[in-house]
């Protein structure tokens, strides 16, 4: 039995819920330019376009639900004897809706909004624009998506490093290994943890993992969690 299971998830875990990943066929970065919609510079240049991009993705959340992989991870946290922590690069709320509690959104959340002026953060599934007014300070045009854009510092790193250093099982699910620091977590964890990659194909950091399970997360995560709960891995 493991004492401290740390799970990193990427866009691949939400694909079977109907949320497009970023890279590969049909990925978000095929339809939009990262610089235009996922950088501070892009936001400064055209905040209306960025608000539209995130309003669309926020609206999309209303039409999707957690898939069996999200549900299996919530079940693992609930029933497993050791500690289970999910670190997600995803900004959707599917882990929460599946019941995961011990969760760190290192790239922010679609349903969280931040005021650039007073720093207030609040949850909302509404649409925002350059006309939106901050409920805390009353200023207009200062609200931005509470999302970590390229070039910005990911959230919760101060919690993540100790988690990786104390993990005895590290599972990476549905991430391509393109973006750091998340792609480097396996390098930290592999000194003290068994490392397992679950993906449709080998990620860019595949050779750093002790074990690979190839398949759709919705099927293989369920199987793997069942084995863990039976003490079988
Ligand atoms: N089951 C398992 N894995 C899948 C599935 C599936 N059904 N569908 C896709 N995948 C895998 C792909 O093989 C790929 O390796 O999910 C991964 C998705 O990779 P990306 O689209 O690059 O997403 P991710 O790794 O999460 O991107 C990291 O980059 O764009 C930024 O901030 C954004 O958080 C994101 C970060």
């Amino acid at each position: 039995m493991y004492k401290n299971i740390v799970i990193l998830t990427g866009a691949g875990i939400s694909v079977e819920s109907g949320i497009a990943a970023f890279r590969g066929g049909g990925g978000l970065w095929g339809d939009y330019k990262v610089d235009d919609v996922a950088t501070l510079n892009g936001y400064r240049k055209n905040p209306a376009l960025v608000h539209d991009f995130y309003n669309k993705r926020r609206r999309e959340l209303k039409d999707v639900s957690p898939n069996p992989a999200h549900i299996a991870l919530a079940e693992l946290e609930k029933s497993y004897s050791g500690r289970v922590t999910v670190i997600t690069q995803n900004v959707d709320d599917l882990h929460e809706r599946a019941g995961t509690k011990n969760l760190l959104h290192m790239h922010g959340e679609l349903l969280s909004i931040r005021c650039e002026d007073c720093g207030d953060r609040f949850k909302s599934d509404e649409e925002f624009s350059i006309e939106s007014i901050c409920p805390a300070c009353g200023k207009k045009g200062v609200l931005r998506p509470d999302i970590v854009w390229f070039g910005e510092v990911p959230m919760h790193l101060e919690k993540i490093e100790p988690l990786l250093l104390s993990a005895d099982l590290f599972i990476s699910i549905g991430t391509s290994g393109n973006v750091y620091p998340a792609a480097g977590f396996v390098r930290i964890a592999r000194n003290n943890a068994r490392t397992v990659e679950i993906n449709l194909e080998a990620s860019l950091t595949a050779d750093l993992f002790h074990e690979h399970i190839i398949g759709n997360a919705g099927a293989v995560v369920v199987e793997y969690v069942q084995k863990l709960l039976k003490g079988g891995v």
Side-chain angles (χ1 to χ4, degrees), residues 27-43:
L28 263 187
W29 297 148
D31 302 339
Y32 293 88
K33 279 218 207 85
V34 169
D35 288 348
D36 293 345
V37 294
T39 62
L40 185 58
N41 195 27
Y43 174 70

Side-chain angles (χ1 to χ4, degrees), residues 39 82 192 195 202 208:
T39 62
N192 38 269
T195 55
L208 294 171

Side-chain angles (χ1 to χ4, degrees), residues 9-17 19-24 27-29 34 38 54 57 67 69 88-91 106-107 147-150 173-180 182 197-204 213-221:
T9 63
I13 198 170
S14 297
V15 167
E16 290 161 86
S17 293
I19 298 182
F22 293 95
R23 298 165 184 88
L28 263 187
W29 297 148
V34 169
Y54 286 96
R57 294 177 68 195
N67 67 56
T88 188
Q89 299 173 88
N90 300 340
V91 293
M106 64 179 289
H107 289 166
I147 298 278
V148 177
W149 284 326
F150 286 95
I173 304 171
T175 182
S176 62
N178 266 288
V179 173
Y180 284 79
E197 176 172 81
I198 296 178
N199 199 309
L200 276 183
E201 59 188 14
S203 74
L204 294 177
I213 304 175
I214 298 288
N216 278 302
V220 296
V221 170

